[in-house]
Amino acid sequence: MSKQKSILVATIGTRDLAFQTSDGQWLSVGNDRKPDLDDESQQVLVQVDLGQEKGDFRSLTEYLFQHWDIYQDRLKPIIVGQLIEDQRRNLQKIYLVATNQPPTTPERFRDKDTLFAAEIIKLWITEQHKIDTEIIEQCTHGENPSDFDKMFVWWKEIWRRIAKSLSSKTKTSVLLCLKGGVGQSSEAARITALTQFEDDSFFYDFHEDEKKNKQGKPSKYSESKGTNYLWDRRQKEALVLLKNWDYQAVQVILNSYLQNSEDSEILKIKEYLEMAIKWNMSDFKGFAKMRRELAKSRSQNWWWTAYEAAYLGVIRLQQGNTTEALFHSFRAVEGLMSEWIIWRYEPHITQNDQKSPALKKSVCSDPKFSELQNFNFENQKIDLYGAKLDEIIQCAKSDIKYNPDWRIVFEKTRNWRNRIFHRLLKLEKKEVFEAWGSKDEKELETRILGCLNSFTKNTFSSWDTASLMPSIHQSLTDQIKSYQP
């Protein structure tokens, strides 16, 4: 975990407090389990060492709390103590959650209350580390700690209260030790903490080592990120977003997993996402660069970006973004024409100040390009967009002017595009179909792909082969589906 400011929330159980007996051995004040039939429990041995008549946990800890001045050197939090020691420089505040049930509670439950154990641990923290510590009393109004539903509501309110105390200007980690106490309460605490703090939560589990504990050595612990517990939820959200090709949103949802991770599977997800986002923003060259060898041969062809732009238009239509669908699909065709002219007449291509390519009139006198020797140049150059673009192509590639797909593009689609893009009106899907002279989505896709193929002489039959993106999308989906923290 990064060394940022944090708070600690720990539920105090009956085994959190250790007491050093007169023979120098550290025993758990609340461990009432007998090692075997002939031996006494650690709790009974503590009672005997203290010479107390009452040996229940609440009574013993209340006595020790009242006599802190006498016993303070013989008391320590044997479980959470090491974590506090390790995190002391970052901890702004500690919350200790302890049960304090009313006198009407049956004795067998009330006798295990942890309030006074928490009071002792608070004194220890103040003495050892001088960290601001607050005790939160649980069950004071008779709530049953084994009632999951009631504890769920109780914990939600506790987390809201704690969250309000955190600064909105600085990021604060919430360290959670929620194993102490009744299981139902601990589980409710874990679930509600994840909902409240999400990626800022870190859970700590402790591994009891009775032999070391008796020597006064604290239990070891392990850390689990809250993000690990949230993965199932995040995974489902990400997969839903992927169905709509919303890669930026997926990146936001998975951000806590992607940051500073060295997990090879996460690194793959991160790379796929970065590629997909570049593609989604029409940065096809950046996309291909990230794909490295997989895109090397394809990206050497002058026509490859047109297929990517066309597929982007198809995706926009499936997303319901009709205006961009028409824009990208037409742009793919017009862009393809421009790229062909740049490729074909490269010696006579120039760039103006806006980086827009233009064909120079000098091409008319170049014997290598006799097809344009009689082309009408009104000026010394022609910018490669608009109606002039179509005129150059029809002159240079006479076979294309009779292609039915191309006739629709320049007799119908262009007019639709020009008319619609100057109006602030909603564009229905059927209008996109009409603009392309098709009756539905399938026919539209076939027409766009056929239009590009007829110009490039490629034979792509589907977007899976025409575009580099579908395989990346599938790999990203598969990677997220299979990943487990």
Side-chain angles (χ1 to χ4, degrees):
M1 190 192 69
S2 58
K3 298 300 182 183
Q4 59 188 28
K5 291 300 181 183
S6 56
I7 64 169
L8 169 65
V9 183
T11 54
I12 302 304
T14 55
R15 298 195 181 188
D16 280 80
L17 187 66
F19 173 77
Q20 187 180 36
T21 56
S22 302
D23 62 2
Q25 190 170 220
W26 290 87
L27 301 179
S28 170
V29 179
N31 187 346
D32 58 1
R33 184 178 57 201
K34 288 186 176 184
D36 55 55
L37 292 175
D38 297 326
D39 293 331
E40 296 291 353
S41 69
Q42 292 186 44
Q43 183 172 317
V44 168
L45 294 175
V46 170
Q47 177 191 357
V48 171
D49 197 79
L50 290 170
Q52 291 298 296
E53 293 183 7
K54 294 189 69 176
D56 63 87
F57 182 70
R58 182 184 177 110
S59 297
L60 288 174
T61 52
E62 183 176 13
Y63 174 79
L64 289 167
F65 172 60
Q66 292 171 346
H67 296 83
W68 166 257
D69 291 342
I70 299 174
Y71 296 109
Q72 59 179 295
D73 294 334
R74 297 167 64 184
L75 292 164
K76 66 169 60 175
I78 203 68
I79 294 180
V80 77
Q82 187 62 53
L83 178 62
I84 294 173
E85 174 72 23
D86 293 344
Q87 296 290 334
R88 65 188 186 281
R89 292 186 178 86
N90 307 309
L91 285 172
Q92 294 178 312
K93 187 166 184 175
I94 296 174
Y95 295 90
L96 304 176
V97 182
T99 55
N100 183 24
Q101 300 171 89
T104 53
T105 307
E107 284 188 8
R108 69 180 186 278
F109 299 129
R110 192 168 188 266
D111 285 350
K112 292 184 178 294
D113 275 345
T114 57
L115 172 64
F116 295 106
E119 293 284 7
I120 292 169
I121 293 172
K122 179 181 177 180
L123 289 172
W124 181 87
I125 293 169
T126 302
E127 182 72 24
Q128 297 292 323
H129 303 297
K130 296 180 173 55
I131 301 170
D132 182 20
T133 303
E134 178 183 336
I135 293 176
I136 298 175
E137 296 186 21
Q138 188 181 56
C139 308
T140 54
H141 299 292
E143 306 96 330
N144 184 351
S146 63
D147 187 327
F148 177 83
D149 291 333
K150 289 241 175 33
M151 287 297 98
F152 191 90
V153 174
W154 185 85
W155 275 108
K156 282 181 70 175
E157 181 54 38
I158 294 300
W159 297 134
R160 277 195 290 266
R161 197 182 101 196
I162 290 175
K164 283 181 181 179
S165 70
L166 301 180
S167 171
S168 59
K169 296 180 181 179
T170 57
K171 190 175 178 66
T172 305
S173 297
V174 182
L175 316 187
L176 300 158
C177 308
L178 304 174
K179 286 291 188 180
V182 180
Q184 290 89 333
S185 176
S186 296
E187 186 60 23
R190 184 184 294 274
I191 294 171
T192 50
L194 284 169
T195 302
Q196 180 68 54
F197 302 112
E198 296 192 337
D199 301 337
D200 294 326
S201 56
F202 295 80
F203 292 88
Y204 291 85
D205 288 329
F206 296 85
H207 313 285
E208 185 177 13
D209 187 329
E210 193 169 296
K211 183 178 179 180
K212 286 187 175 181
N213 289 166
K214 285 184 176 181
Q215 298 170 5
K217 297 177 181 178
S219 298
K220 293 181 178 179
Y221 62 85
S222 58
E223 177 191 278
S224 299
K225 292 182 180 180
T227 51
N228 294 349
Y229 296 100
L230 286 168
W231 173 251
D232 287 348
R233 185 194 305 176
R234 292 285 187 265
Q235 182 187 51
K236 288 176 183 176
E237 291 173 348
L239 292 173
V240 168
L241 290 167
L242 279 179
K243 288 181 179 179
N244 199 43
W245 298 273
D246 196 344
Y247 304 113
Q248 284 90 340
V250 173
Q251 189 178 56
V252 171
I253 288 291
L254 302 183
N255 185 55
S256 56
Y257 302 91
L258 303 175
Q259 286 182 330
N260 305 318
S261 176
E262 296 181 0
D263 186 317
S264 60
E265 291 182 83
I266 283 291
L267 291 175
K268 283 182 182 178
I269 292 174
K270 184 177 181 180
E271 184 179 24
Y272 289 145
L273 270 175
E274 289 173 356
M275 277 192 275
I277 289 170
K278 285 184 180 297
W279 182 87
N280 214 23
M281 296 173 66
S282 299
D283 180 7
F284 302 132
K285 290 184 179 179
F287 164 73
K289 186 177 180 180
M290 287 195 70
R291 285 210 63 176
R292 296 182 288 275
E293 290 300 318
L294 291 172
K296 189 174 181 180
S297 60
R298 175 67 65 87
S299 60
Q300 289 175 348
N301 295 294
W302 60 268
W303 45 258
W304 78 276
T305 52
Y307 286 91
E308 301 303 333
Y311 184 52
L312 186 56
V314 169
I315 294 303
R316 291 293 183 266
L317 188 64
Q318 292 180 17
Q319 289 174 319
N321 194 336
T322 51
T323 303
E324 283 202 24
L326 183 58
F327 169 75
H328 285 294
S329 58
F330 182 80
R331 177 181 181 232
V333 175
E334 195 167 68
L336 180 68
M337 296 162 64
S338 179
E339 291 298 323
W340 182 83
I341 292 171
I342 293 169
W343 169 76
R344 168 71 175 161
Y345 305 112
E346 184 180 8
H348 303 281
I349 298 296
T350 184
Q351 302 279 350
N352 64 20
D353 292 340
Q354 286 76 39
K355 303 297 183 183
S356 178
L359 179 63
K360 295 186 294 184
K361 190 176 181 179
S362 57
V363 71
C364 298
S365 56
D366 191 330
K368 290 189 297 184
F369 308 117
S370 57
E371 69 271 16
L372 293 182
Q373 63 181 352
N374 297 319
F375 190 80
N376 181 27
F377 272 79
E378 296 175 0
N379 300 302
Q380 291 301 308
K381 62 181 180 179
I382 296 174
D383 291 327
L384 299 183
Y385 63 86
K388 280 292 183 181
L389 190 63
D390 184 30
E391 292 176 21
I392 295 170
I393 291 296
Q394 293 206 40
C395 184
K397 290 174 70 74
S398 58
D399 61 316
I400 208 72
K401 69 173 69 176
Y402 302 110
N403 184 285
D405 290 329
W406 279 87
R407 286 173 59 191
I408 284 176
V409 170
F410 288 98
E411 292 174 10
K412 190 178 183 72
T413 312
R414 170 179 283 172
N415 294 333
W416 265 87
R417 193 282 305 265
N418 292 341
R419 185 169 68 250
I420 289 170
F421 275 33
H422 294 290
R423 298 294 308 281
L424 301 177
L425 299 175
K426 180 182 178 183
L427 186 62
E428 300 291 344
K429 266 192 174 184
K430 63 181 181 180
E431 293 177 292
V432 179
F433 300 151
E434 188 176 346
W436 275 94
S438 55
K439 65 179 183 293
D440 55 29
E441 201 166 310
K442 184 176 181 181
E443 189 173 294
L444 169 65
E445 291 186 33
T446 301
R447 167 145 283 151
I448 295 171
L449 189 56
C451 188
L452 300 184
N453 281 343
S454 66
F455 194 88
T456 63
K457 308 307 179 186
N458 287 315
T459 57
F460 297 124
S461 59
S462 71
W463 297 112
D464 286 346
T465 54
S467 168
L468 295 171
M469 187 58 203
S471 61
I472 289 297
H473 181 89
Q474 189 59 52
S475 295
L476 176 59
T477 302
D478 293 343
Q479 199 71 32
I480 292 175
K481 276 183 179 178
S482 63
Y483 177 71
Q484 287 297 325

